[in-house]
Amino acid sequence: MDEEYDVIVLGTGLTECILSGIMSVNGKKVLHMDRNPYYGGESSSITPLEELYKRFGISDSPPESMGRGRDWNVDLIPKFLMANGQLVKMLLYTEVTRYLDFKVVEGSFVYKGGKIYKVPSTETEALASNLMGMFEKRRFRKFLVFVANFDENDPKTFEGVDPKLTTMGEVYKKFDLGQDVIDFTGHALALYRTDDYLELPCLETVNRIKLYSESLARYGKSPYLYPLYGLGELPQGFARLSAIYGGTYMLNKPVDEIVMEGGHVVGVKSEGEVARCKQLICDPSYIPDRVHKVGQVIRVICILSHPIKNTNDANSCQIIIPQNQVNRKSDIYVCMISYAHNVAAQGKYIAIASTTVETSDPEAEIEPALELLEPIDQKFVAISDMYEPTEDGTESQIFASRSYDATTHFETTCNDIKDIYKRMTGSDFDFENMKRKQNDVFGEDEQ
């Protein structure tokens, strides 16, 4: 271990593994350590089921009815991949897709007045949907056509809207959309968790709705993908990429000290040895004194023996409960997957409800989501603090990732990766930098 590296990475969460993969592909010498004996850090999938019970302090072992413990891979952080989003692009460019198989999530649903409705995925579904009345549908269709044609580089497509000045609230007014449709558009299509976006310039929202519809267009059922065997497969895929390019991995490796000289990082001490480095990437848990708390997320993992009611017996889906419907500031989400994704025993479903904590009683906040899931065989409640780095790393050369937020997809995680990359290298992130070189170092020729 007593060696000199360009970059040392602490923690094998998804953010860290993607960055170590990119750095290795770009010719950097990387050492990647984790104090845990498994990959994934906060974003791992727990197996066998007994391990999940232990982790949440449940003294009983899982009942017989739960099937074999090894058939379970339970995500600690519920997220899906946008089919046309940045993470899929990263997977394709690095060819990490070779190590993974994906399934399309069967549907997205939105909660309104105590009931759940399917988010229309085709024009026919939209016209038949009970989410809005006939005239509302026409106006909504006009709005969607505007979004589809919108091109930020072509003012002819703006229809009198200034993408950098006109707020999203004003755009909704222009198309005369009612409150229910606004809720649905902002939260189920643009996937905002709060309503702050209404006061901001509309460009970001229009691009989010475009991402949603382009992702939807790829597979038709929903815009989301999910990897077989759980999200823990993602960090492992990128760790393999890093290893192919000479990255060194050490799990179960305690970190005793981050060694500083003159205000910047020079190495990491572990079990009496020091590995030297020029730059350090890590998750917040390794540097508590360089991060600050920005909030909390509650996540409740529920094991069910049935699909969720009113979802057409889907074996995977997402449900969005817009904040307005339950008098909150931020939305509540449910991600549901099942035995069809090799993450649960035959006939079992895993639904994970999550939201940003707003009060001193988080479990009461998430109740509306749990009501949709009844009966629940077993639930596991986690309340996690969310951290952000207090500095940008230019001085110390320590680059901390942000905690995983309550969004149901990986777009914010990818933004964090691009941001860290820019601060580390001084140049803008470019997907081209992730392309594998023609012949891998270890002769993994093209398949």
Side-chain angles (χ1 to χ4, degrees):
M1 188 180 141
D2 285 325
E3 272 191 63
E4 176 90 31
Y5 295 88
D6 294 314
V7 180
I8 293 180
V9 185
L10 304 179
T12 49
L14 182 62
T15 309
E16 288 72 32
C17 286
I18 292 180
L19 282 161
S20 100
I22 297 171
M23 293 299 167
S24 302
V25 168
N26 287 343
K28 299 267 190 244
K29 187 176 177 187
V30 176
L31 169 65
H32 202 146
M33 295 160 58
D34 195 319
R35 60 167 91 87
N36 296 314
Y38 54 84
Y39 281 98
E42 291 285 295
S43 58
S44 63
S45 305
I46 301 296
T47 183
L49 189 59
E50 291 75 2
E51 189 58 41
L52 188 72
Y53 273 65
K54 217 185 322 180
R55 194 183 176 100
F56 281 90
I58 296 172
S59 50
D60 305 339
S61 48
E64 289 283 297
S65 59
M66 295 278 188
R68 281 193 330 179
R70 297 227 62 87
D71 288 343
W72 294 81
N73 287 291
V74 184
D75 299 330
L76 294 178
I77 293 190
K79 284 187 188 284
F80 290 143
L81 290 82
M82 290 294 262
N84 222 23
Q86 304 181 84
L87 182 52
V88 167
K89 210 168 167 184
M90 289 180 181
L91 285 159
L92 289 168
Y93 270 72
T94 52
E95 295 175 43
V96 169
T97 39
R98 294 179 190 186
Y99 315 133
L100 303 160
D101 281 314
F102 290 92
K103 268 195 167 165
V104 181
V105 171
E106 294 199 341
S108 187
F109 296 81
V110 65
Y111 177 95
K112 178 184 160 192
K115 285 204 188 114
I116 60 175
Y117 297 88
K118 187 165 191 312
V119 176
S121 57
T122 61
E123 203 166 305
T124 327
E125 271 186 16
L127 289 172
S129 168
N130 297 332
L131 270 171
M132 49 188 112
M134 203 55 225
F135 293 111
E136 195 79 289
K137 281 177 186 163
R138 279 188 206 159
R139 293 196 287 269
F140 183 56
R141 187 157 178 249
K142 265 196 187 139
F143 167 73
L144 286 182
V145 169
F146 160 72
V147 169
N149 294 333
F150 185 90
D151 172 359
E152 58 188 284
N153 302 315
D154 179 3
K156 287 203 284 294
T157 64
F158 292 178
E159 296 187 24
V161 167
D162 182 329
K164 293 194 169 65
L165 289 176
T166 315
T167 67
M168 198 58 211
E170 290 165 342
V171 173
Y172 287 145
K173 259 200 204 86
K174 172 182 160 73
F175 287 92
D176 199 16
L177 299 181
Q179 191 53 51
D180 278 354
V181 179
I182 290 175
D183 273 358
F184 160 77
T185 306
H187 297 269
L189 302 182
L191 302 171
Y192 282 109
R193 285 169 294 164
T194 68
D195 269 347
D196 300 348
Y197 79 97
L198 290 168
E199 305 302 318
L200 299 171
C202 63
L203 180 60
E204 159 89 359
T205 306
V206 169
N207 282 336
R208 280 178 171 227
I209 299 169
K210 279 174 96 75
L211 169 65
Y212 188 94
S213 35
E214 285 159 7
S215 295
L216 185 58
R218 289 189 75 154
Y219 300 104
K221 284 184 183 172
S222 85
Y224 303 112
L225 301 174
Y226 183 83
L228 294 186
Y229 300 102
L231 296 173
E233 295 293 296
L234 292 166
Q236 289 189 54
F238 284 100
R240 281 183 72 172
L241 173 74
S242 172
I244 286 169
Y245 282 90
T248 305
Y249 273 78
M250 294 181 182
L251 293 181
N252 224 348
K253 193 83 176 128
V255 173
D256 304 330
E257 187 193 339
I258 290 167
V259 186
M260 308 292 290
E261 273 173 26
H264 60 90
V265 68
V266 292
V268 172
K269 188 174 182 185
S270 170
E271 298 173 316
E273 297 183 309
V274 174
R276 298 183 73 76
C277 66
K278 302 183 184 83
Q279 294 183 306
L280 180 78
I281 301 171
C282 60
D283 72 47
S285 70
Y286 288 87
I287 47 164
D289 54 335
R290 291 174 184 270
V291 292
H292 64 116
K293 184 173 158 182
V294 288
Q296 287 184 312
V297 180
I298 176 169
R299 300 181 174 101
V300 182
I301 299 169
C302 302
I303 293 179
L304 319 175
S305 299
H306 58 87
I308 298 171
K309 289 185 205 67
N310 307 320
T311 60
N312 273 339
D313 291 349
N315 63 31
S316 59
C317 68
Q318 176 194 53
I319 302 168
I320 294 173
I321 304 178
Q323 27 76 297
N324 270 347
Q325 296 289 325
V326 282
N327 298 321
R328 290 172 49 77
K329 278 201 208 62
S330 36
D331 294 359
I332 304 174
Y333 293 123
V334 176
C335 284
M336 194 271 280
I337 52 214
S338 66
Y339 62 94
H341 307 85
N342 305 356
V343 294
Q346 188 62 32
K348 299 288 180 189
Y349 300 78
I350 302 169
I352 308 182
S354 61
T355 191
T356 307
V357 174
E358 295 176 0
T359 68
S360 54
D361 187 359
E363 289 199 49
E365 295 182 50
I366 206 140
E367 196 47 48
L370 301 185
E371 283 168 12
L372 300 174
L373 307 179
E374 295 293 348
I376 297 168
D377 299 348
Q378 177 67 53
K379 64 178 190 186
F380 308 87
V381 180
I383 297 166
S384 315
D385 292 341
M386 280 171 39
Y387 295 100
E388 276 181 8
T390 45
E391 39 156 345
D392 65 6
T394 33
E395 190 62 37
S396 64
Q397 290 297 298
I398 295 177
F399 302 92
S401 59
R402 294 158 178 260
S403 304
Y404 300 95
D405 62 20
T407 55
T408 62
H409 50 76
F410 285 104
E411 296 305 299
T412 47
T413 306
C414 292
N415 291 341
D416 192 27
I417 289 166
K418 289 160 77 169
D419 184 43
I420 293 173
Y421 179 89
K422 183 172 183 176
R423 284 182 278 137
M424 285 184 74
T425 62
S427 52
D428 276 335
F429 178 87
D430 181 352
F431 284 99
E432 290 297 325
N433 294 342
M434 300 184 74
K435 281 219 162 131
R436 287 190 174 207
K437 311 301 176 260
Q438 216 30 61
N439 213 341
D440 288 337
V441 182
F442 295 118
E444 229 194 53
D445 288 323
E446 293 306 304
Q447 300 293 314

